Amino acid sequence: MNAAREAVAAVVDPEIRVITIADLGILRSVEVEPDTGRVVVTITPTYTGCPAMDVIRADIRRALAVAGHPDAEVRTVHSPAWSTDWITDAGRAKLAAAGIAPPAPVRRDGVVPLTLAVRCPRCGSPETEQLSRFGSTACKALWRCRACSEPFDHVKAL
């Protein structure tokens, strides 16, 4: 992995600080133009109106400047649309370790299954209940474990 890719891949998501944009799956590519050496980064938001994208773009530019690439371009593409299936296994593990329930995989036919129960990321119990369809960010829902009584966020499957 080149230095530019490593610098960008290490950028942390500003809303879910335990996961990088690479682990979240929004980092699509990091390319260095051979004739100019300019870095072009392509990202896809988790959803079209995601308020974190401006911060992510600024953090990418800052990371690249520190890595010696002050003239970088960050492109945002919406197609194909981001899916929670793009979250890496390492990202899912980081979410769970931070007490955030990772999303279930989306079916390959494009149908997003209805989430009836989510295992508690703290104790593993399936005895949970949804408190709110929206958690600390729009892409998460707030749940509570009936076994250990702890509240937790659950990343919604998309």
Side-chain angles (χ1 to χ4, degrees), residues 33 38-42 60-61 64 70-75:
E33 295 177 346
R38 184 173 193 220
V39 176
V40 178
V41 177
T42 304
I60 288 170
R61 287 187 186 98
L64 286 170
D71 183 33
E73 178 183 354
V74 181
R75 296 178 182 162

Side-chain angles (χ1 to χ4, degrees), residues 6 15 21-22 27 29-30 50 54 57 71 74 77 93-94 96-97 99-100 122 128 134 137 150:
E6 288 177 6
E15 292 182 324
I21 62 171
L27 176 60
S29 67
V30 178
C50 178
D54 288 337
R57 282 188 282 275
D71 183 33
V74 181
V77 297
K94 289 175 187 178
I100 302 169
R122 291 182 174 83
T128 61
F134 296 99
T137 63
E150 288 293 321

Side-chain angles (χ1 to χ4, degrees), residues 23-158:
D23 283 334
L24 189 54
I26 67 171
L27 176 60
R28 300 288 296 281
S29 67
V30 178
E31 299 172 4
V32 180
E33 295 177 346
D35 50 329
T36 65
R38 184 173 193 220
V39 176
V40 178
V41 177
T42 304
I43 56 177
T44 297
T46 55
Y47 66 97
T48 304
C50 178
M53 294 310 292
D54 288 337
V55 174
I56 291 170
R57 282 188 282 275
D59 289 349
I60 288 170
R61 287 187 186 98
R62 189 175 307 108
L64 286 170
V66 168
H69 302 281
D71 183 33
E73 178 183 354
V74 181
R75 296 178 182 162
T76 302
V77 297
H78 295 97
S79 180
W82 178 84
S83 165
T84 50
D85 282 348
W86 293 4
I87 300 173
T88 65
D89 290 341
R92 290 172 189 279
K94 289 175 187 178
L95 289 170
I100 302 169
V106 175
R107 289 183 9 201
R108 294 293 166 213
D109 60 6
V111 174
V112 178
L114 178 64
T115 301
L116 298 177
V118 174
R119 285 197 174 274
C120 175
R122 291 182 174 83
C123 73
S125 173
E127 296 299 317
T128 61
E129 62 183 336
Q130 186 179 61
L131 299 177
S132 173
R133 292 179 62 194
F134 296 99
S136 58
T137 63
C139 58
K140 294 183 285 187
L142 181 61
W143 287 68
R144 177 177 48 213
C145 179
R146 291 183 182 137
C148 69
S149 300
E150 288 293 321
F152 63 92
D153 278 334
H154 167 63
V155 176
K156 300 173 194 173
L158 295 175

